[in-house]
Tab-separated table of all heavy atoms in Angstrom:
chain	number	residue	atom	x	y	z
E	125	CYS	N	99.953	90.776	85.334
E	125	CYS	CA	99.834	90.629	86.792
E	125	CYS	C	100.887	91.433	87.565
E	125	CYS	O	100.537	92.128	88.525
E	125	CYS	CB	99.868	89.152	87.175
E	125	CYS	SG	98.413	88.244	86.594
E	126	PRO	N	102.174	91.377	87.194
E	126	PRO	CA	103.136	92.245	87.899
E	126	PRO	C	102.821	93.728	87.713
E	126	PRO	O	102.980	94.520	88.654
E	126	PRO	CB	104.479	91.880	87.244
E	126	PRO	CG	104.277	90.518	86.681
E	126	PRO	CD	102.851	90.482	86.229
E	127	ALA	N	102.392	94.100	86.506
E	127	ALA	CA	102.038	95.501	86.259
E	127	ALA	C	100.891	95.943	87.169
E	127	ALA	O	100.932	97.032	87.762
E	127	ALA	CB	101.657	95.689	84.789
E	128	ALA	N	99.872	95.102	87.290
E	128	ALA	CA	98.724	95.431	88.134
E	128	ALA	C	99.118	95.493	89.604
E	128	ALA	O	98.641	96.355	90.353
E	128	ALA	CB	97.619	94.392	87.932
E	129	PHE	N	99.996	94.601	90.035
E	129	PHE	CA	100.440	94.585	91.435
E	129	PHE	C	101.169	95.878	91.781
E	129	PHE	O	100.893	96.505	92.813
E	129	PHE	CB	101.355	93.379	91.672
E	129	PHE	CG	101.885	93.294	93.075
E	129	PHE	CD1	101.104	92.767	94.088
E	129	PHE	CD2	103.164	93.750	93.380
E	129	PHE	CE1	101.586	92.706	95.390
E	129	PHE	CE2	103.656	93.692	94.667
E	129	PHE	CZ	102.864	93.167	95.687
E	130	VAL	N	102.089	96.297	90.931
E	130	VAL	CA	102.840	97.530	91.182
E	130	VAL	C	101.906	98.744	91.140
E	130	VAL	O	101.989	99.644	91.996
E	130	VAL	CB	103.983	97.701	90.161
E	130	VAL	CG1	104.656	99.065	90.318
E	130	VAL	CG2	105.011	96.587	90.317
E	131	TYR	N	100.989	98.764	90.164
E	131	TYR	CA	100.087	99.905	90.029
E	131	TYR	C	99.166	100.042	91.234
E	131	TYR	O	98.805	101.157	91.623
E	131	TYR	CB	99.258	99.754	88.753
E	131	TYR	CG	98.387	100.956	88.446
E	131	TYR	CD1	98.947	102.199	88.166
E	131	TYR	CD2	96.995	100.843	88.431
E	131	TYR	CE1	98.150	103.301	87.881
E	131	TYR	CE2	96.190	101.937	88.140
E	131	TYR	CZ	96.773	103.161	87.876
E	131	TYR	OH	95.985	104.248	87.590
E	132	ARG	N	98.797	98.940	91.847
E	132	ARG	CA	97.977	98.998	93.058
E	132	ARG	C	98.747	99.609	94.221
E	132	ARG	O	98.162	100.249	95.086
E	132	ARG	CB	97.494	97.601	93.438
E	132	ARG	CG	96.366	97.095	92.560
E	132	ARG	CD	95.295	96.417	93.371
E	132	ARG	NE	94.005	96.532	92.747
E	132	ARG	CZ	92.885	96.067	93.288
E	132	ARG	NH1	92.922	95.467	94.453
E	132	ARG	NH2	91.728	96.214	92.665
E	133	LYS	N	100.061	99.400	94.228
E	133	LYS	CA	100.887	99.964	95.289
E	133	LYS	C	101.212	101.430	95.023
E	133	LYS	O	101.302	102.236	95.954
E	133	LYS	CB	102.191	99.165	95.409
E	133	LYS	CG	102.006	97.698	95.768
E	133	LYS	CD	101.405	97.525	97.143
E	133	LYS	CE	101.286	96.055	97.509
E	133	LYS	NZ	100.682	95.847	98.861
E	134	VAL	N	101.430	101.771	93.757
E	134	VAL	CA	101.769	103.152	93.366
E	134	VAL	C	100.744	103.590	92.328
E	134	VAL	O	100.944	103.450	91.121
E	134	VAL	CB	103.199	103.242	92.799
E	134	VAL	CG1	103.582	104.699	92.565
E	134	VAL	CG2	104.204	102.560	93.710
E	135	HIS	N	99.639	104.153	92.795
E	135	HIS	CA	98.485	104.425	91.928
E	135	HIS	C	98.630	105.785	91.253
E	135	HIS	O	97.851	106.727	91.480
E	135	HIS	CB	97.201	104.355	92.747
E	135	HIS	CG	95.978	104.125	91.915
E	135	HIS	ND1	95.687	102.921	91.325
E	135	HIS	CD2	94.979	104.969	91.564
E	135	HIS	CE1	94.548	103.026	90.660
E	135	HIS	NE2	94.098	104.259	90.780
E	136	THR	N	99.653	105.904	90.398
E	136	THR	CA	99.918	107.138	89.661
E	136	THR	C	100.371	106.767	88.250
E	136	THR	O	100.576	105.592	87.940
E	136	THR	CB	101.035	107.959	90.336
E	136	THR	OG1	102.241	107.168	90.346
E	136	THR	CG2	100.666	108.324	91.764
E	137	ARG	N	100.533	107.796	87.386
E	137	ARG	CA	101.077	107.530	86.052
E	137	ARG	C	102.461	106.902	86.155
E	137	ARG	O	102.806	106.002	85.396
E	137	ARG	CB	101.134	108.822	85.239
E	137	ARG	CG	99.768	109.372	84.833
E	137	ARG	CD	99.939	110.502	83.825
E	137	ARG	NE	98.640	111.056	83.446
E	137	ARG	CZ	98.117	112.156	83.959
E	137	ARG	NH1	98.785	112.827	84.899
E	137	ARG	NH2	96.938	112.603	83.566
E	138	LYS	N	103.264	107.417	87.079
E	138	LYS	CA	104.605	106.859	87.281
E	138	LYS	C	104.511	105.400	87.688
E	138	LYS	O	105.278	104.553	87.211
E	138	LYS	CB	105.348	107.660	88.353
E	138	LYS	CG	106.756	107.174	88.621
E	138	LYS	CD	107.447	108.024	89.680
E	138	LYS	CE	108.849	107.514	89.973
E	138	LYS	NZ	109.520	108.338	91.024
E	139	GLY	N	103.562	105.098	88.558
E	139	GLY	CA	103.366	103.709	88.973
E	139	GLY	C	102.958	102.823	87.810
E	139	GLY	O	103.382	101.663	87.722
E	140	ALA	N	102.132	103.368	86.907
E	140	ALA	CA	101.717	102.599	85.734
E	140	ALA	C	102.914	102.287	84.838
E	140	ALA	O	103.074	101.153	84.362
E	140	ALA	CB	100.659	103.369	84.950
E	141	VAL	N	103.776	103.298	84.622
E	141	VAL	CA	104.956	103.090	83.771
E	141	VAL	C	105.905	102.076	84.418
E	141	VAL	O	106.411	101.169	83.746
E	141	VAL	CB	105.680	104.433	83.521
E	141	VAL	CG1	107.003	104.195	82.794
E	141	VAL	CG2	104.790	105.366	82.709
E	142	ILE	N	106.139	102.234	85.720
E	142	ILE	CA	107.022	101.298	86.414
E	142	ILE	C	106.435	99.892	86.382
E	142	ILE	O	107.133	98.910	86.109
E	142	ILE	CB	107.256	101.748	87.867
E	142	ILE	CG1	108.039	103.064	87.896
E	142	ILE	CG2	108.002	100.673	88.658
E	142	ILE	CD1	108.162	103.670	89.285
E	143	GLY	N	105.139	99.781	86.672
E	143	GLY	CA	104.492	98.472	86.684
E	143	GLY	C	104.559	97.781	85.333
E	143	GLY	O	104.868	96.590	85.250
E	144	LEU	N	104.270	98.521	84.280
E	144	LEU	CA	104.312	97.936	82.939
E	144	LEU	C	105.741	97.572	82.544
E	144	LEU	O	105.959	96.569	81.854
E	144	LEU	CB	103.710	98.909	81.929
E	144	LEU	CG	102.188	99.089	82.033
E	144	LEU	CD1	101.717	100.284	81.222
E	144	LEU	CD2	101.456	97.826	81.588
E	145	SER	N	106.712	98.362	82.982
E	145	SER	CA	108.118	98.035	82.709
E	145	SER	C	108.493	96.728	83.406
E	145	SER	O	109.181	95.879	82.824
E	145	SER	CB	109.033	99.168	83.184
E	145	SER	OG	108.749	100.373	82.509
E	146	VAL	N	108.049	96.582	84.646
E	146	VAL	CA	108.270	95.317	85.363
E	146	VAL	C	107.583	94.173	84.625
E	146	VAL	O	108.129	93.065	84.519
E	146	VAL	CB	107.748	95.421	86.815
E	146	VAL	CG1	107.792	94.064	87.507
E	146	VAL	CG2	108.569	96.430	87.607
E	147	GLY	N	106.383	94.437	84.101
E	147	GLY	CA	105.668	93.419	83.332
E	147	GLY	C	106.426	92.986	82.094
E	147	GLY	O	106.469	91.796	81.762
E	148	VAL	N	107.051	93.946	81.399
E	148	VAL	CA	107.848	93.614	80.209
E	148	VAL	C	109.021	92.726	80.580
E	148	VAL	O	109.287	91.704	79.932
E	148	VAL	CB	108.342	94.900	79.509
E	148	VAL	CG1	109.309	94.542	78.383
E	148	VAL	CG2	107.166	95.701	78.955
E	149	VAL	N	109.727	93.095	81.647
E	149	VAL	CA	110.884	92.299	82.095
E	149	VAL	C	110.448	90.898	82.507
E	149	VAL	O	111.090	89.897	82.161
E	149	VAL	CB	111.604	93.005	83.262
E	149	VAL	CG1	112.704	92.118	83.839
E	149	VAL	CG2	112.200	94.326	82.794
E	150	THR	N	109.335	90.822	83.231
E	150	THR	CA	108.828	89.513	83.661
E	150	THR	C	108.413	88.666	82.469
E	150	THR	O	108.699	87.461	82.414
E	150	THR	CB	107.632	89.696	84.610
E	150	THR	OG1	108.001	90.547	85.695
E	150	THR	CG2	107.179	88.350	85.173
E	151	LEU	N	107.736	89.280	81.512
E	151	LEU	CA	107.328	88.570	80.301
E	151	LEU	C	108.541	87.987	79.587
E	151	LEU	O	108.542	86.799	79.212
E	151	LEU	CB	106.582	89.527	79.372
E	151	LEU	CG	106.299	89.010	77.952
E	151	LEU	CD1	105.297	87.874	77.988
E	151	LEU	CD2	105.807	90.136	77.055
E	152	VAL	N	109.577	88.795	79.399
E	152	VAL	CA	110.771	88.329	78.695
E	152	VAL	C	111.413	87.168	79.444
E	152	VAL	O	111.741	86.128	78.852
E	152	VAL	CB	111.784	89.485	78.527
E	152	VAL	CG1	113.108	88.956	77.996
E	152	VAL	CG2	111.224	90.547	77.583
E	153	GLY	N	111.578	87.307	80.760
E	153	GLY	CA	112.210	86.252	81.546
E	153	GLY	C	111.420	84.952	81.539
E	153	GLY	O	111.984	83.868	81.331
E	154	VAL	N	110.108	85.067	81.757
E	154	VAL	CA	109.259	83.867	81.802
E	154	VAL	C	109.224	83.167	80.453
E	154	VAL	O	109.329	81.933	80.370
E	154	VAL	CB	107.831	84.253	82.254
E	154	VAL	CG1	106.860	83.097	82.028
E	154	VAL	CG2	107.843	84.643	83.727
E	155	MET	N	109.102	83.940	79.379
E	155	MET	CA	108.993	83.316	78.064
E	155	MET	C	110.318	82.733	77.585
E	155	MET	O	110.335	81.725	76.855
E	155	MET	CB	108.447	84.313	77.045
E	155	MET	CG	107.039	84.792	77.363
E	155	MET	SD	105.879	83.475	77.852
E	155	MET	CE	105.729	82.566	76.320
E	156	LEU	N	111.445	83.318	77.982
E	156	LEU	CA	112.733	82.711	77.658
E	156	LEU	C	112.855	81.346	78.329
E	156	LEU	O	113.275	80.361	77.701
E	156	LEU	CB	113.883	83.617	78.099
E	156	LEU	CG	114.169	84.847	77.234
E	156	LEU	CD1	115.300	85.663	77.835
E	156	LEU	CD2	114.514	84.449	75.799
E	157	LEU	N	112.475	81.285	79.594
E	157	LEU	CA	112.535	80.008	80.321
E	157	LEU	C	111.558	79.003	79.723
E	157	LEU	O	111.915	77.831	79.496
E	157	LEU	CB	112.215	80.246	81.797
E	157	LEU	CG	112.170	78.996	82.688
E	157	LEU	CD1	113.520	78.290	82.691
E	157	LEU	CD2	111.734	79.353	84.107
E	158	TRP	N	110.328	79.463	79.439
E	158	TRP	CA	109.308	78.576	78.895
E	158	TRP	C	109.726	78.033	77.533
E	158	TRP	O	109.588	76.838	77.263
E	158	TRP	CB	107.982	79.326	78.788
E	158	TRP	CG	106.882	78.518	78.168
E	158	TRP	CD1	106.434	78.588	76.884
E	158	TRP	CD2	106.094	77.506	78.796
E	158	TRP	NE1	105.422	77.704	76.660
E	158	TRP	CE2	105.183	77.017	77.825
E	158	TRP	CE3	106.054	76.969	80.073
E	158	TRP	CZ2	104.262	76.015	78.103
E	158	TRP	CZ3	105.127	75.966	80.355
E	158	TRP	CH2	104.250	75.510	79.375
């Protein structure tokens, strides 16, 4: 979901990389808490 949100705002390859990187960070943070 964070990856898709960022990619919708920045619809480029760079946006995809940034979005997926944000997704990785979010995944790690959420799963550590969970």
Side-chain angles (χ1 to χ4, degrees):
C125 293
F129 179 81
V130 173
Y131 186 64
R132 284 223 151 183
K133 299 295 183 181
V134 187
H135 201 73
T136 61
R137 290 190 181 99
K138 181 179 179 181
V141 173
I142 294 173
L144 289 167
S145 299
V146 172
V148 173
V149 173
T150 306
L151 170 68
V152 171
V154 168
M155 297 315 293
L156 284 178
L157 177 61
W158 177 259

